[in-house]
Amino acid sequence: MAMYALGMSVLQDVIAFEKTKVKQVAYADDLSGAGKLQDLSHWWGLIQANGPIIGYTPNAAKSFLIVKPEHYDGAVNIFSGSGVVVTKEGQRHLGAVIGTEEYKKEYVGEKVSEWVHEVDVLSAMAKTEPHAAYAAYTHGLQHRWNFAMRTIPDISPLLRPLEESIKNTFIPALLRSPVPGNDARALLELPPRLGGMGITSPEKVAEVENLNSINLTRTLTDMIIAQDAQVEIDQV
């Protein structure tokens, strides 16, 4: 990763904010930029011209330009023939999502449906192998939705079907008991050291996870917004 970043720095010297007026950040080979349409067009042209020289070949078909509805027609015109996909709805980005509220709900809804299915599968296993199912849930499955909670704001209501699956299907199968009441469910959310089982409620912790993520990454976020590449050693 560090060596890849060094290689990418050569390209980023060419497409730097001072030269393109595009605020940008790269995570491995995922390069993202934000700015005015004409500036983004110039930035994309520089990437196409200079990227392949260092082995970075941009794929237009997998590149998305997300614009506000009022700028959609202009974006289609400016990027005509480039192969870049222009959208006013939104697009997945590094496991999170950028776009309208409707697109966010659709994206998270699809992920929740997938996670509910996985909880149902694990619940079936819990009927005969409760300890293995509990270990698989707490050490594996439970972390499947952490990234979404930390990077997508205001999704607590969208996670309700997942919490209902955990409460109404997984826990009864695991404990061979009826559906727990609210007090019992709250007790099971506590970590084992406090007498619980660490089976957290995604619906409850989503906003806290998102706020914690924002606070922990604030320094880096501010530097990206300011396009300040001078990172102090103790901040890395």
Side-chain angles (χ1 to χ4, degrees), residues 142 145 149 163 166 185 189 199-206:
Q142 186 167 245
W145 41 86
M149 292 192 298
E163 165 58 18
I166 296 168
R185 178 67 184 100
E189 294 172 27
I199 304 176
T200 59
S201 168
E203 183 183 8
K204 287 185 179 180
V205 303

Side-chain angles (χ1 to χ4, degrees), residues 103-140:
Y103 188 85
K104 181 178 77 172
K105 290 178 181 179
E106 178 184 350
Y107 174 82
V108 175
E110 291 177 356
K111 302 295 287 185
V112 168
S113 296
E114 177 185 338
W115 296 330
V116 167
H117 173 68
E118 292 173 350
V119 170
D120 290 343
V121 171
L122 197 59
S123 298
M125 296 172 56
K127 294 177 181 179
T128 56
E129 297 289 344
H131 187 273
Y134 173 67
Y137 181 86
T138 55
H139 294 292

Side-chain angles (χ1 to χ4, degrees), residues 12-115:
Q12 289 183 307
D13 285 342
V14 178
I15 62 175
F17 174 74
E18 293 78 10
K19 301 175 182 178
T20 61
K21 303 304 178 186
V22 171
K23 293 188 176 183
Q24 55 205 279
V25 64
Y27 182 77
D29 63 340
D30 286 295
L31 184 59
S32 304
K36 296 182 178 180
L37 291 175
Q38 292 290 353
D39 294 334
L40 285 168
S41 178
H42 175 57
W43 179 72
W44 175 250
L46 289 175
I47 294 172
Q48 286 185 305
N50 296 276
I53 299 173
I54 63 169
Y56 183 84
T57 305
N59 187 339
K62 293 184 178 180
S63 300
F64 293 84
L65 176 62
I66 306 170
V67 298
K68 296 178 181 178
E70 60 268 27
H71 299 307
Y72 179 76
D73 291 338
V76 170
N77 181 56
I78 291 173
F79 281 83
S80 176
S82 67
V84 173
V85 181
V86 181
T87 175
K88 55 185 174 182
E89 283 78 29
Q91 179 59 30
R92 179 180 67 85
H93 182 254
L94 294 176
V97 64
I98 299 175
T100 63
E101 282 296 312
E102 291 73 17
Y103 188 85
K104 181 178 77 172
K105 290 178 181 179
E106 178 184 350
Y107 174 82
V108 175
E110 291 177 356
K111 302 295 287 185
V112 168
S113 296
E114 177 185 338
W115 296 330

